[in-house]
Amino acid sequence: RIADDVTTRFAAGELPLRPPASDAGDAAVLDASHRLDVQRTMTRGSGPVRSGESTEGALESLASLAALPPSTAEPGPSTWETTNLHAVATVLTANAKMRKETRGSHWREDFPDTDDAHWHVRLASHLDESQGAS
């Protein structure tokens, strides 16, 4: 369903085509030993119960992980999985921080009500070349 939706939206001109980010090489690879750090950050700051403060803290933690020296290990499945988890966590948390409402099973402690007038939308995000969410 997601692929069909994206294909339809591209065809309708609703989603802009962007050139791929330049290859960051091994510098973009997060060491697999940080997988649990990413998971804990998400549980604490961007889980089903969250707030503006918790999502901001999660974004800071994720940025700290991104600023670590690149893995010296040969890139393999575990480093790429950790790197991909980090990328998804960054985008998810940036969107969670932006959405100032409670929606579905995700509870914003600082915005306990659903706000269809402002937030009954789909948020589209991408990673820029420095791997920051926008």
mmCIF file with all atom_site columns, all heavy atoms in Angstrom, residues 18 30-32 43-44 63 74 81 85 104 130:
data_model
loop_
_atom_site.group_PDB
_atom_site.id
_atom_site.type_symbol
_atom_site.label_atom_id
_atom_site.label_alt_id
_atom_site.label_comp_id
_atom_site.label_asym_id
_atom_site.label_entity_id
_atom_site.label_seq_id
_atom_site.pdbx_PDB_ins_code
_atom_site.Cartn_x
_atom_site.Cartn_y
_atom_site.Cartn_z
_atom_site.occupancy
_atom_site.B_iso_or_equiv
_atom_site.pdbx_formal_charge
_atom_site.auth_seq_id
_atom_site.auth_comp_id
_atom_site.auth_asym_id
_atom_site.auth_atom_id
_atom_site.pdbx_PDB_model_num
ATOM 1  N N   . ARG A 1 18  ? 13.797 14.387 -5.768 1.00 0.00 ? 18  ARG A N   1
ATOM 2  C CA  . ARG A 1 18  ? 15.031 14.987 -5.265 1.00 0.00 ? 18  ARG A CA  1
ATOM 3  C C   . ARG A 1 18  ? 16.195 14.137 -5.742 1.00 0.00 ? 18  ARG A C   1
ATOM 4  O O   . ARG A 1 18  ? 16.089 12.916 -5.799 1.00 0.00 ? 18  ARG A O   1
ATOM 5  C CB  . ARG A 1 18  ? 15.043 15.017 -3.743 1.00 0.00 ? 18  ARG A CB  1
ATOM 6  C CG  . ARG A 1 18  ? 13.915 15.780 -3.124 1.00 0.00 ? 18  ARG A CG  1
ATOM 7  C CD  . ARG A 1 18  ? 14.077 15.756 -1.591 1.00 0.00 ? 18  ARG A CD  1
ATOM 8  N NE  . ARG A 1 18  ? 12.879 16.066 -0.884 1.00 0.00 ? 18  ARG A NE  1
ATOM 9  C CZ  . ARG A 1 18  ? 12.428 17.284 -0.661 1.00 0.00 ? 18  ARG A CZ  1
ATOM 10 N NH1 . ARG A 1 18  ? 13.073 18.313 -1.115 1.00 0.00 ? 18  ARG A NH1 1
ATOM 11 N NH2 . ARG A 1 18  ? 11.322 17.471 0.020  1.00 0.00 ? 18  ARG A NH2 1
ATOM 12 N N   . LEU A 1 30  ? 27.344 4.040  11.432 1.00 0.00 ? 30  LEU A N   1
ATOM 13 C CA  . LEU A 1 30  ? 27.355 4.049  12.891 1.00 0.00 ? 30  LEU A CA  1
ATOM 14 C C   . LEU A 1 30  ? 27.736 2.666  13.384 1.00 0.00 ? 30  LEU A C   1
ATOM 15 O O   . LEU A 1 30  ? 27.191 1.667  12.911 1.00 0.00 ? 30  LEU A O   1
ATOM 16 C CB  . LEU A 1 30  ? 25.976 4.446  13.411 1.00 0.00 ? 30  LEU A CB  1
ATOM 17 C CG  . LEU A 1 30  ? 25.819 4.685  14.898 1.00 0.00 ? 30  LEU A CG  1
ATOM 18 C CD1 . LEU A 1 30  ? 26.702 5.838  15.365 1.00 0.00 ? 30  LEU A CD1 1
ATOM 19 C CD2 . LEU A 1 30  ? 24.364 4.990  15.213 1.00 0.00 ? 30  LEU A CD2 1
ATOM 20 N N   . ASP A 1 31  ? 28.669 2.591  14.294 1.00 0.00 ? 31  ASP A N   1
ATOM 21 C CA  . ASP A 1 31  ? 29.118 1.302  14.810 1.00 0.00 ? 31  ASP A CA  1
ATOM 22 C C   . ASP A 1 31  ? 27.942 0.531  15.406 1.00 0.00 ? 31  ASP A C   1
ATOM 23 O O   . ASP A 1 31  ? 27.095 1.089  16.102 1.00 0.00 ? 31  ASP A O   1
ATOM 24 C CB  . ASP A 1 31  ? 30.202 1.517  15.864 1.00 0.00 ? 31  ASP A CB  1
ATOM 25 C CG  . ASP A 1 31  ? 30.894 0.225  16.223 1.00 0.00 ? 31  ASP A CG  1
ATOM 26 O OD1 . ASP A 1 31  ? 30.342 -0.532 17.036 1.00 0.00 ? 31  ASP A OD1 1
ATOM 27 O OD2 . ASP A 1 31  ? 31.983 -0.032 15.670 1.00 0.00 ? 31  ASP A OD2 1
ATOM 28 N N   . ALA A 1 32  ? 27.906 -0.761 15.147 1.00 0.00 ? 32  ALA A N   1
ATOM 29 C CA  . ALA A 1 32  ? 26.808 -1.623 15.604 1.00 0.00 ? 32  ALA A CA  1
ATOM 30 C C   . ALA A 1 32  ? 26.667 -1.640 17.122 1.00 0.00 ? 32  ALA A C   1
ATOM 31 O O   . ALA A 1 32  ? 25.586 -1.920 17.643 1.00 0.00 ? 32  ALA A O   1
ATOM 32 C CB  . ALA A 1 32  ? 27.000 -3.037 15.075 1.00 0.00 ? 32  ALA A CB  1
ATOM 33 N N   . THR A 1 43  ? 12.925 4.704  23.070 1.00 0.00 ? 43  THR A N   1
ATOM 34 C CA  . THR A 1 43  ? 11.983 4.306  24.120 1.00 0.00 ? 43  THR A CA  1
ATOM 35 C C   . THR A 1 43  ? 11.769 5.455  25.099 1.00 0.00 ? 43  THR A C   1
ATOM 36 O O   . THR A 1 43  ? 10.635 5.778  25.466 1.00 0.00 ? 43  THR A O   1
ATOM 37 C CB  . THR A 1 43  ? 12.496 3.060  24.860 1.00 0.00 ? 43  THR A CB  1
ATOM 38 O OG1 . THR A 1 43  ? 12.591 1.979  23.921 1.00 0.00 ? 43  THR A OG1 1
ATOM 39 C CG2 . THR A 1 43  ? 11.564 2.667  25.992 1.00 0.00 ? 43  THR A CG2 1
ATOM 40 N N   . ARG A 1 44  ? 12.856 6.099  25.528 1.00 0.00 ? 44  ARG A N   1
ATOM 41 C CA  . ARG A 1 44  ? 12.765 7.181  26.511 1.00 0.00 ? 44  ARG A CA  1
ATOM 42 C C   . ARG A 1 44  ? 12.150 8.451  25.926 1.00 0.00 ? 44  ARG A C   1
ATOM 43 O O   . ARG A 1 44  ? 11.351 9.109  26.572 1.00 0.00 ? 44  ARG A O   1
ATOM 44 C CB  . ARG A 1 44  ? 14.149 7.520  27.058 1.00 0.00 ? 44  ARG A CB  1
ATOM 45 C CG  . ARG A 1 44  ? 14.642 6.598  28.131 1.00 0.00 ? 44  ARG A CG  1
ATOM 46 C CD  . ARG A 1 44  ? 15.883 7.164  28.832 1.00 0.00 ? 44  ARG A CD  1
ATOM 47 N NE  . ARG A 1 44  ? 16.892 7.642  27.912 1.00 0.00 ? 44  ARG A NE  1
ATOM 48 C CZ  . ARG A 1 44  ? 17.926 6.928  27.458 1.00 0.00 ? 44  ARG A CZ  1
ATOM 49 N NH1 . ARG A 1 44  ? 18.087 5.694  27.851 1.00 0.00 ? 44  ARG A NH1 1
ATOM 50 N NH2 . ARG A 1 44  ? 18.793 7.457  26.634 1.00 0.00 ? 44  ARG A NH2 1
ATOM 51 N N   . ALA A 1 63  ? 21.713 13.097 17.706 1.00 0.00 ? 63  ALA A N   1
ATOM 52 C CA  . ALA A 1 63  ? 22.745 13.932 17.089 1.00 0.00 ? 63  ALA A CA  1
ATOM 53 C C   . ALA A 1 63  ? 24.117 13.618 17.679 1.00 0.00 ? 63  ALA A C   1
ATOM 54 O O   . ALA A 1 63  ? 25.121 13.596 16.956 1.00 0.00 ? 63  ALA A O   1
ATOM 55 C CB  . ALA A 1 63  ? 22.411 15.416 17.269 1.00 0.00 ? 63  ALA A CB  1
ATOM 56 N N   . GLU A 1 74  ? 34.787 -3.170 9.484  1.00 0.00 ? 74  GLU A N   1
ATOM 57 C CA  . GLU A 1 74  ? 34.351 -3.302 8.098  1.00 0.00 ? 74  GLU A CA  1
ATOM 58 C C   . GLU A 1 74  ? 32.825 -3.228 8.066  1.00 0.00 ? 74  GLU A C   1
ATOM 59 O O   . GLU A 1 74  ? 32.158 -3.967 8.790  1.00 0.00 ? 74  GLU A O   1
ATOM 60 C CB  . GLU A 1 74  ? 34.836 -4.644 7.545  1.00 0.00 ? 74  GLU A CB  1
ATOM 61 C CG  . GLU A 1 74  ? 34.495 -4.875 6.092  1.00 0.00 ? 74  GLU A CG  1
ATOM 62 C CD  . GLU A 1 74  ? 35.259 -3.962 5.141  1.00 0.00 ? 74  GLU A CD  1
ATOM 63 O OE1 . GLU A 1 74  ? 36.378 -3.531 5.484  1.00 0.00 ? 74  GLU A OE1 1
ATOM 64 O OE2 . GLU A 1 74  ? 34.720 -3.688 4.062  1.00 0.00 ? 74  GLU A OE2 1
ATOM 65 N N   . GLU A 1 81  ? 22.435 -1.927 9.640  1.00 0.00 ? 81  GLU A N   1
ATOM 66 C CA  . GLU A 1 81  ? 21.163 -1.958 10.365 1.00 0.00 ? 81  GLU A CA  1
ATOM 67 C C   . GLU A 1 81  ? 21.134 -0.861 11.424 1.00 0.00 ? 81  GLU A C   1
ATOM 68 O O   . GLU A 1 81  ? 20.133 -0.154 11.574 1.00 0.00 ? 81  GLU A O   1
ATOM 69 C CB  . GLU A 1 81  ? 20.936 -3.317 11.018 1.00 0.00 ? 81  GLU A CB  1
ATOM 70 C CG  . GLU A 1 81  ? 20.550 -4.411 10.051 1.00 0.00 ? 81  GLU A CG  1
ATOM 71 C CD  . GLU A 1 81  ? 20.483 -5.779 10.710 1.00 0.00 ? 81  GLU A CD  1
ATOM 72 O OE1 . GLU A 1 81  ? 20.696 -5.887 11.940 1.00 0.00 ? 81  GLU A OE1 1
ATOM 73 O OE2 . GLU A 1 81  ? 20.200 -6.751 9.991  1.00 0.00 ? 81  GLU A OE2 1
ATOM 74 N N   . LEU A 1 85  ? 18.621 2.224  11.460 1.00 0.00 ? 85  LEU A N   1
ATOM 75 C CA  . LEU A 1 85  ? 17.766 2.479  12.623 1.00 0.00 ? 85  LEU A CA  1
ATOM 76 C C   . LEU A 1 85  ? 17.942 3.914  13.103 1.00 0.00 ? 85  LEU A C   1
ATOM 77 O O   . LEU A 1 85  ? 16.972 4.592  13.456 1.00 0.00 ? 85  LEU A O   1
ATOM 78 C CB  . LEU A 1 85  ? 18.093 1.513  13.760 1.00 0.00 ? 85  LEU A CB  1
ATOM 79 C CG  . LEU A 1 85  ? 17.564 0.097  13.613 1.00 0.00 ? 85  LEU A CG  1
ATOM 80 C CD1 . LEU A 1 85  ? 18.139 -0.793 14.720 1.00 0.00 ? 85  LEU A CD1 1
ATOM 81 C CD2 . LEU A 1 85  ? 16.051 0.077  13.677 1.00 0.00 ? 85  LEU A CD2 1
ATOM 82 N N   . GLY A 1 104 ? -3.827 8.767  17.690 1.00 0.00 ? 104 GLY A N   1
ATOM 83 C CA  . GLY A 1 104 ? -3.784 7.310  17.762 1.00 0.00 ? 104 GLY A CA  1
ATOM 84 C C   . GLY A 1 104 ? -3.239 6.857  19.108 1.00 0.00 ? 104 GLY A C   1
ATOM 85 O O   . GLY A 1 104 ? -3.645 7.342  20.160 1.00 0.00 ? 104 GLY A O   1
ATOM 86 N N   . SER A 1 130 ? 23.704 16.019 5.227  1.00 0.00 ? 130 SER A N   1
ATOM 87 C CA  . SER A 1 130 ? 24.386 15.824 6.505  1.00 0.00 ? 130 SER A CA  1
ATOM 88 C C   . SER A 1 130 ? 23.628 14.824 7.373  1.00 0.00 ? 130 SER A C   1
ATOM 89 O O   . SER A 1 130 ? 23.956 14.619 8.519  1.00 0.00 ? 130 SER A O   1
ATOM 90 C CB  . SER A 1 130 ? 24.545 17.148 7.242  1.00 0.00 ? 130 SER A CB  1
ATOM 91 O OG  . SER A 1 130 ? 23.275 17.637 7.615  1.00 0.00 ? 130 SER A OG  1
#
